[in-house]
Amino acid sequence: MSTTKTPARPLKVVKSDAEWREQLTPIQYQITRQHGTERAFSSPNFDSKLKGTYKCVCCCRPLYRSEAKYDSGTGWPSFFEPIEPDAVNAFEDRSYGMVRTEIRCADCDAHLGHVFPDGPPPTGLRYCMNGHALIFDED
């Protein structure tokens, strides 16, 4: 998996900080715009088994399908692949003395979570997402 420092393409959704603060709840803003993390087992839909699509809370871009969601035991919604390869962008994250791969929405650059190489087949990846960064549309 490659990592980049800038979005792969120009962002489709660009808003001021004030616009994001007005649109989002405080926890949604802290996670998506300030690269925060919610407490494990505290987010909406972390253990949901409903069928549907998980979208970016900031711009409504479809990101993950329920068929790619699985119980990773971590307390965060986890997926083995995005809905399409260009739905998310990967960035090197060296915060907290670790090297991880941060995942952001490709359309608005919202911080969603991180991806790890310990997921199930067929990809072997675990997209560990913040539930407050996602909205769920049931089929």
Side-chain angles (χ1 to χ4, degrees):
M1 171 177 300
S2 65
T3 58
T4 59
K5 294 189 187 225
T6 57
R9 58 187 170 92
L11 296 176
K12 290 183 178 179
V13 179
V14 178
K15 294 184 180 185
S16 70
D17 187 63
E19 289 172 311
W20 286 126
R21 285 182 185 273
E22 186 177 319
Q23 174 186 329
L24 302 168
T25 67
I27 192 165
Q28 290 169 338
Y29 177 84
Q30 192 265 335
I31 289 167
T32 62
R33 308 322 305 176
Q34 296 181 315
H35 304 265
T37 301
E38 64 206 11
R39 286 182 300 109
F41 303 101
S42 70
S43 72
N45 300 313
F46 84 88
D47 61 351
S48 174
K49 307 282 190 258
L50 297 173
K51 300 288 184 201
T53 302
Y54 291 84
K55 298 178 178 181
C56 176
V57 72
C58 294
C59 70
C60 295
R61 163 101 189 226
L63 301 171
Y64 300 97
R65 281 290 302 162
S66 57
E67 292 82 1
K69 188 173 188 281
Y70 70 99
D71 183 1
S72 65
T74 62
W76 286 277
S78 297
F79 305 86
F80 58 79
E81 66 184 355
I83 201 164
E84 55 188 20
D86 66 348
V88 297
N89 289 326
F91 296 83
E92 186 175 272
D93 177 0
R94 292 185 170 266
S95 62
Y96 303 106
M98 299 179 275
V99 178
R100 300 177 293 172
T101 302
E102 176 189 14
I103 297 299
R104 297 184 201 167
C105 175
D107 282 2
C108 71
D109 208 35
H111 170 76
L112 303 170
H114 292 85
V115 64
F116 301 95
D118 60 0
T123 65
L125 298 174
R126 173 172 52 98
Y127 287 84
C128 190
M129 302 293 98
N130 288 287
H132 288 284
L134 305 173
I135 51 177
F136 180 71
D137 278 350
E138 188 174 356
D139 286 349

